[in-house]
Amino acid sequence: MDSNHNNYLRFFTVIIVFFLLYGMIILNLYFIQIQQTSFFKNLGDKQYNITLQTLPQRAYIYDRNNNPVAINKDSVAAFILPKTLTQQEELFAFLEKHFPQAFERLAASRTKNFMFIKRNLTQEEMKAIEKANLTDINLLNESSRFYPYESLGTVVGITDIDNNGLFGIESQYNKQLAGTPTTFNLKKDAKSHHFYFSKETKEQGTDGEAITLTIDADIQFKMQTILNEAVERYGSQEAGALAMDPQTGEILAVVSYPHFDPNNTKVLDMETTKNRPITNCFESGSVLKIFMALAAIQEGVTALDEIIDCENTKETRLDHLRIRTIQPHGKISFLEVIQYSNNIGTVKVAKRLGADLYDYYKLLGFGESTGLNFPGEQKGFVNHPSNWSAYSIQSLSYGYEMTTSLLQLARAFSLLINGGYLVTPKLIQDHSIEKIGPLVSQKTLDDVLTILEATVQAGSGTRAQIAGYKILGKTGTANILVNGKYDEDRHLYTFIGAVQKDKYQRVIVCYVKDSKRATYASMITAPLFKELAECMILHEQTKNMSL
Amino acid sequence: MKNKTLLLLAVCINLIIIFLLIHKQNKIIKLLYENQQLTEQKDILLQQKKMLTLQYHKGQQLSSIQTFAKNNLKMSPIKLKEAKTVCAPTNAHEISNAGSQGQAQGRGVEKDISVKPA
């Protein structure tokens, strides 16, 4: 009886134990499979499904002849995983010697999961890492930019360490060039390493879209060389030049001094990154007289053959206000007033225009955006008649109390060459032409062109002449404003001009700030214009010539 | 006996299906692996192409070409007034003229660049 009871008890106990064990397993399964489904599903998915994002290659930038001016190159970055270091002592010693900055960063926070030692490694740094042969240091290939044309730095700009545009075209068209990343879902197990079982596209990205500039990289290089030589020759601080097709508004070259090497940006002086012809505005002096003349002729307040009394003096007073000019002239025609850049005659005519002069300057695009939308582009300034002092009309007539960029001058000058149309300048080739006009009559244009031709033939621009080509132009020498006062010893020399032959037309504008050698634009920027125009003709005409 | 044969047949068919499925999956994974290897090779080749392109464009840099031309080849920039070109004759009459002129002058027909329209 006892034995049976014991057997039952034992059997019952075993059953209970098994029941409890199975119960625990079932309970556990319930928790895992039902109550914590999403948690374990996510955990499994994380191990099994990998999301991978790939960035498309940044698109190239080309010049007008399809020469690439911004291409991609691989750069290498070195990184460590501080939490999982295996050779700490060796690594610390290596970093202290070769990468002291990374050593300091690592010493400051050793609990990071990930840390870049350095990105964009140099050849020497790569060799040092290879020589050290430390397993804790990992290498990562990254894409960066290379710019074959150094002279295009201020136009194309550069990208930052993450390959995003910093300034210039790279910044303006960053989205278009960068494209969008593609996201993939990979299925793999923990031991498959790089290998995956399936690959699905989760989100399709788009490739970057290439950009073609209107710039001719060869002309750009040649103009940059000429500008550098001119700056050295005249001992100047800064200079700029711009060449444009007056019919289409396409900018063929735009150069600045100082400039920078876009492939060597370790130490970058921001002053050198400025595209001065577009982003710098200045009082450009007598070059503005040609636009005053255009307004005066269009308004009918003067004619080319009207005799103006320039009082045969270098200095006089008009309405008790002092006016000075470079050379004394007596009674000369209005054409000669502009041709010889006489300030006294210019002011006398400008007074007849009054506030209309402001309207004409605005009409010609001064003090307004050109529509180029280049990063950092300056609008300039024209003093509004409501702010005018007694001096304002005379100042405005020869280019003071207003600031203009070289681009604005080129745009306004193009109007004289292309039949009176104000074109929108372009740096990107899209075969469209945006222009408004004609803003002035053909008779006015003919008269102004006569003045410009005379200026180069026998006026201040004679040093700009090129045999076999029709050259039109105007010089400008302006005093520079220093601490609220015009410095008599510091000048800004400008030349705006055009070269023409049959259908070939190019507008070229240039400026040089300060010179140790000469005092007038006729001695500095007129010959500079000639050099620039000759290089342009030589390049373009020989290229187009069918042998 | 009949039941046993049917059962054996069903088991065999199932085994064959399982084998085919495994074989198919195996084949897919193998091809996928080959595909990945080829993609890796393609990436390496693309990287090499990129490096060669970079080297090509580095070699094409105008500043280094100019320095080489000036220093090593003793070349100097051409001026517009110095530029002349030999125009190719376009018809038979010009060819005969060009030939006689060329023979007489010992050179081709020269034309000043400045009078050539764009």
Side-chain angles (χ1 to χ4, degrees):
Chain A
M1 182 72 186
D2 272 356
S3 157
N4 273 349
H5 179 76
N6 279 345
N7 280 344
Y8 271 119
L9 197 67
R10 207 176 292 156
F11 176 74
F12 192 70
T13 310
V14 169
I15 289 289
I16 291 287
V17 167
F18 272 96
F19 185 78
L20 283 173
L21 280 173
Y22 277 109
M24 279 167 73
I25 290 168
I26 289 165
L27 200 69
N28 205 18
L29 279 174
Y30 168 78
F31 281 125
I32 291 170
Q33 296 286 342
I34 298 168
Q35 209 170 41
Q36 294 178 312
T37 316
S38 57
F39 171 76
F40 284 104
K41 194 174 178 295
N42 284 342
L43 206 66
D45 283 348
K46 269 186 189 172
Q47 286 182 344
Y48 191 68
N49 295 318
I50 305 286
T51 305
L52 180 77
Q53 204 175 49
T54 56
L55 279 168
Q57 284 285 315
R58 195 172 173 86
Y60 281 17
I61 302 175
Y62 297 91
D63 82 337
R64 65 187 295 118
N65 303 315
N66 279 327
N67 296 314
V69 295
I71 61 173
N72 297 317
K73 68 169 183 177
D74 279 333
S75 61
V76 183
F79 68 93
I80 50 170
L81 307 169
K83 273 188 175 175
T84 57
L85 295 179
T86 54
Q87 300 167 293
Q88 278 204 19
E89 280 182 24
E90 293 95 327
L91 179 76
F92 276 46
F94 173 77
L95 290 182
E96 195 173 10
K97 189 180 174 191
H98 296 280
F99 299 95
Q101 284 183 339
F103 175 74
E104 281 171 25
R105 275 188 286 128
L106 183 62
S109 60
R110 290 186 191 186
T111 51
K112 278 183 181 176
N113 285 319
F114 177 94
M115 192 188 100
F116 272 120
I117 296 175
K118 194 175 177 250
R119 298 171 80 178
N120 210 353
L121 295 171
T122 61
Q123 287 293 326
E124 291 75 35
E125 288 164 343
M126 280 283 292
K127 276 180 190 166
I129 289 172
E130 278 169 22
K131 202 177 166 189
N133 198 23
L134 293 167
T135 50
D136 287 330
I137 299 179
N138 303 287
L139 297 176
L140 176 73
N141 270 338
E142 293 184 305
S143 194
S144 62
R145 286 293 228 191
F146 177 76
Y147 303 97
Y149 292 87
E150 185 191 320
S151 56
L152 272 160
T154 54
V155 181
V156 173
I158 53 170
T159 55
D160 63 11
I161 196 93
D162 294 316
N163 227 12
N164 292 315
L166 269 186
F167 52 85
I169 297 293
E170 291 274 32
S171 159
Q172 193 180 358
Y173 293 91
N174 187 46
K175 275 189 180 174
Q176 186 179 330
L177 290 164
T180 52
T182 303
T183 312
F184 296 104
N185 275 341
L186 306 183
K187 289 194 190 303
K188 57 191 284 184
D189 65 24
K191 289 184 178 177
S192 64
H193 300 292
H194 293 296
F195 181 69
Y196 51 82
F197 303 116
S198 80
K199 188 179 183 182
E200 286 170 15
T201 307
K202 189 180 172 190
E203 198 180 326
Q204 183 63 53
T206 51
D207 283 340
E209 211 177 307
I211 283 174
T212 306
L213 301 178
T214 58
I215 300 276
D216 186 318
D218 292 332
I219 294 178
Q220 176 85 9
F221 169 75
K222 286 175 186 174
M223 281 179 67
Q224 185 69 65
T225 309
I226 291 169
L227 199 72
N228 293 350
E229 286 169 359
V231 166
E232 202 176 313
R233 194 162 57 235
Y234 301 124
S236 308
Q237 285 180 356
E238 65 171 73
L242 185 144
M244 187 167 153
D245 182 334
Q247 297 294 340
T248 60
E250 290 181 353
I251 298 170
L252 299 160
V254 50
V255 292
S256 306
Y257 183 93
H259 61 105
F260 73 104
D261 180 357
N263 297 312
N264 185 14
T265 52
K266 268 188 180 173
V267 183
L268 192 61
D269 177 4
M270 288 312 283
E271 267 303 299
T272 62
T273 64
K274 281 185 182 172
N275 191 319
R276 291 171 192 278
I278 299 173
T279 63
N280 259 24
C281 283
F282 43 81
E283 290 180 310
S284 36
S286 297
V287 289
L288 263 296
K289 282 177 188 163
I290 200 65
F291 302 112
M292 189 287 296
L294 176 118
I297 295 167
Q298 178 71 14
E299 283 298 299
V301 299
T302 189
L304 288 192
D305 52 1
E306 186 195 343
I307 300 299
I308 312 282
D309 184 6
C310 297
E311 304 182 12
N312 208 15
T313 177
K314 278 188 174 184
E315 190 173 324
T316 188
R317 283 185 177 273
L318 281 179
D319 297 336
H320 312 293
L321 301 175
R322 194 179 74 158
I323 303 175
R324 288 188 299 170
T325 193
I326 293 166
Q327 276 188 323
H329 296 99
K331 289 181 178 176
I332 53 173
S333 68
F334 178 63
L335 185 149
E336 288 166 316
V337 167
I338 306 297
Q339 182 183 341
Y340 300 123
S341 209
N342 188 291
N343 288 346
I344 299 166
T346 305
V347 172
K348 283 186 174 178
V349 175
K351 277 179 174 290
R352 300 176 197 167
L353 276 168
D356 285 347
L357 184 61
Y358 171 84
D359 295 333
Y360 270 91
Y361 281 159
K362 293 297 272 188
L363 186 73
L364 294 167
F366 298 119
E368 303 282 342
S369 171
T370 60
L372 183 69
N373 299 325
F374 189 80
E377 184 187 350
Q378 294 294 308
K379 282 183 184 177
F381 160 81
V382 185
N383 196 10
H384 191 270
S386 60
N387 302 323
W388 280 11
S389 67
Y391 279 103
S392 293
I393 187 69
Q394 74 176 58
S395 299
L396 281 164
S397 71
Y398 45 78
Y400 290 89
E401 286 195 33
M402 64 182 289
T403 59
T404 63
S405 65
L406 268 197
L407 179 65
Q408 285 175 329
L409 287 172
R411 187 187 184 210
F413 200 85
S414 295
L415 175 139
L416 309 175
I417 312 297
N418 67 17
Y421 293 92
L422 199 63
V423 290
T424 303
K426 287 194 305 178
L427 266 172
I428 307 297
Q429 227 173 26
D430 58 4
H431 305 291
S432 67
I433 301 171
E434 285 175 47
K435 57 184 181 183
I436 46 170
L439 301 180
V440 286
S441 69
Q442 191 55 48
K443 164 79 177 62
T444 304
L445 289 177
D446 291 342
D447 285 352
V448 173
L449 293 179
T450 307
I451 299 173
L452 289 169
E453 205 173 347
T455 306
V456 174
Q457 289 302 316
S460 56
T462 48
R463 286 183 176 82
Q465 288 176 23
I466 298 173
Y469 284 83
K470 185 178 175 182
I471 305 294
L472 309 162
K474 179 77 189 80
T475 56
T477 308
N479 288 119
I480 296 172
L481 199 63
V482 181
N483 299 328
K485 267 187 133 183
Y486 287 103
D487 190 332
E488 297 281 320
D489 299 322
R490 296 190 61 193
H491 298 95
L492 191 116
Y493 310 96
T494 318
F495 192 93
I496 58 172
V499 52
Q500 277 188 311
K501 187 173 182 74
D502 303 323
K503 283 183 182 176
Y504 181 76
Q505 295 177 328
R506 293 288 179 258
V507 166
I508 301 170
V509 291
C510 55
Y511 86 94
V512 171
K513 190 176 180 182
D514 287 325
S515 166
K516 288 175 184 165
R517 281 181 55 182
T519 48
Y520 298 116
S522 57
M523 311 281 280
I524 296 177
T525 42
L528 175 61
F529 168 88
K530 184 185 175 178
E531 272 188 86
L532 296 170
E534 277 189 339
C535 110
M536 194 138 186
I537 294 166
L538 199 58
H539 181 79
E540 291 196 303
Q541 296 285 66
T542 49
K543 200 173 71 181
N544 295 340
M545 207 171 266
S546 52
L547 289 173
Chain B
M1 187 66 190
K2 205 176 179 182
N3 281 346
K4 271 189 180 175
T5 314
L6 275 174
L7 191 70
L8 196 69
L9 198 68
V11 169
C12 283
I13 288 168
N14 269 311
L15 282 173
I16 288 167
I17 289 169
I18 289 166
F19 172 78
L20 286 174
L21 280 171
I22 291 170
H23 180 71
K24 188 188 114 188
Q25 197 60 33
N26 189 29
K27 199 89 179 159
I28 288 170
I29 290 172
K30 194 182 168 191
L31 288 172
L32 210 62
Y33 183 68
E34 278 177 14
N35 179 35
Q36 284 175 52
Q37 276 188 323
L38 288 172
T39 312
E40 270 180 28
Q41 276 182 20
K42 185 187 153 196
D43 288 344
I44 291 167
L45 288 172
L46 279 174
Q47 210 171 346
Q48 284 175 354
K49 184 190 166 191
K50 208 194 279 185
M51 273 177 67
L52 288 171
T53 311
L54 185 69
Q55 275 180 10
Y56 170 77
H57 285 295
K58 274 185 179 171
Q60 293 266 304
Q61 275 189 301
L62 291 177
S63 49
S64 52
I65 291 173
Q66 194 183 47
T67 311
F68 182 82
K70 271 186 182 173
N71 299 343
N72 297 44
L73 306 176
K74 307 291 174 204
M75 292 170 85
S76 59
I78 192 167
K79 295 215 167 69
L80 184 63
K81 61 185 175 190
E82 296 166 350
K84 303 259 183 189
T85 183
V86 181
C87 286
T90 51
N91 55 40
H93 175 68
E94 277 185 86
I95 288 167
S96 62
N97 281 345
S100 58
Q101 278 181 17
Q103 279 169 1
Q105 296 170 5
R107 57 180 169 80
V109 184
E110 282 189 352
K111 191 173 181 182
D112 195 317
I113 193 171
S114 60
V115 293
K116 179 89 181 173

